[in-house]
Amino acid sequence: MMLDKIAALPEGAIAAGRFILRPVRRSDAGLFALYAGDRRVAEATRSIPHPLPPGAAEAFVTRAMQVGGDEDVWVMDGAASGLAEVLGVISLKRMDETKWDRGQSEIGYWVAPAFWNTGFASEALRALIAANPQKNRTIFAEVFQDNPGSARVLTNAGFQYLGDAETFSVARNARVPTWTYIRKLD
């Protein structure tokens, strides 16, 4: 059953095909700890440490649930379709100060390794762009150059390559070469 045909979505949720994107709940912390604690997930991100320290998942949930922050976070939740309750996470982080609001955000996402190569990241990305909950005009993304699958997710969603850079990865304790992408929405 495709979830985009379900009329009643939970408040703050976005239909994404086989699952919904919904706000983070306290009960997500256990699966976040399990999935984000996987070295492969942590090393594909800038900010997830490995090993994951005690309380890190709970702290992430607390930050994600705060209203009015600079980042909005959604859980890829497949429970209504018989899939896992937490498949991964996708977020939009505002890039602008209020006085210089240019409608720009950076998108980030990770999918639990058990669900890699299923198209969930692509579905989540397309749904979030279509909904455009922050009313962005431009969305940026950055992926590590040793993660070409994530780069394909972006290009398949209409992102254009912008250039090479590098960023620090906490899990790798090193600077990592990146590819930067842009998607204009206006």
Side-chain angles (χ1 to χ4, degrees):
M1 166 165 65
M2 298 301 279
L3 288 174
D4 52 3
K5 295 184 174 140
I6 295 177
L9 288 172
E11 185 176 340
I14 300 167
R18 296 176 285 172
F19 53 90
I20 63 170
L21 302 177
R22 63 156 172 85
V24 174
R25 300 188 290 234
R26 292 239 174 259
S27 60
D28 295 327
L31 287 174
F32 287 172
L34 176 67
Y35 298 148
D38 186 305
R39 177 184 299 274
R40 297 168 295 176
V41 171
E43 288 185 349
T45 72
R46 289 185 294 216
S47 59
I48 299 174
H50 186 80
L52 196 66
E58 292 80 2
F60 172 76
V61 166
T62 298
R63 283 191 313 277
M65 292 178 67
Q66 288 177 346
V67 177
D70 66 347
E71 185 172 25
D72 295 325
V73 181
W74 293 267
V75 172
M76 299 174 203
D77 183 335
S81 294
L83 299 166
E85 186 173 354
V86 175
L87 304 166
V89 172
I90 191 165
S91 68
L92 284 171
K93 185 171 185 173
R94 290 170 192 82
M95 297 175 69
D96 298 321
E97 296 179 34
T98 306
K99 68 179 183 173
W100 302 110
D101 185 12
R102 293 181 296 263
Q104 298 179 339
S105 290
E106 182 175 16
I107 199 161
Y109 52 89
W110 58 260
V111 174
F115 310 114
W116 286 355
N117 301 312
T118 60
F120 293 153
S122 294
E123 286 180 55
L125 194 61
R126 283 192 303 268
L128 195 57
I129 289 169
N132 196 9
Q134 291 181 351
K135 308 298 181 230
N136 287 302
R137 293 192 313 266
T138 307
I139 298 178
F140 292 90
E142 176 183 71
V143 298
F144 293 155
Q145 290 182 11
D146 60 4
N147 188 356
S150 197
R152 277 190 303 279
V153 167
L154 293 171
T155 57
N156 289 340
F159 281 75
Q160 301 296 313
Y161 171 76
L162 197 57
D164 292 3
E166 67 178 21
T167 192
F168 187 79
S169 168
V170 174
R172 298 181 191 204
N173 193 29
R175 297 196 66 76
V176 180
T178 61
W179 291 312
T180 304
Y181 292 85
I182 187 171
R183 169 82 192 260
K184 295 199 179 253
L185 302 177
D186 57 3

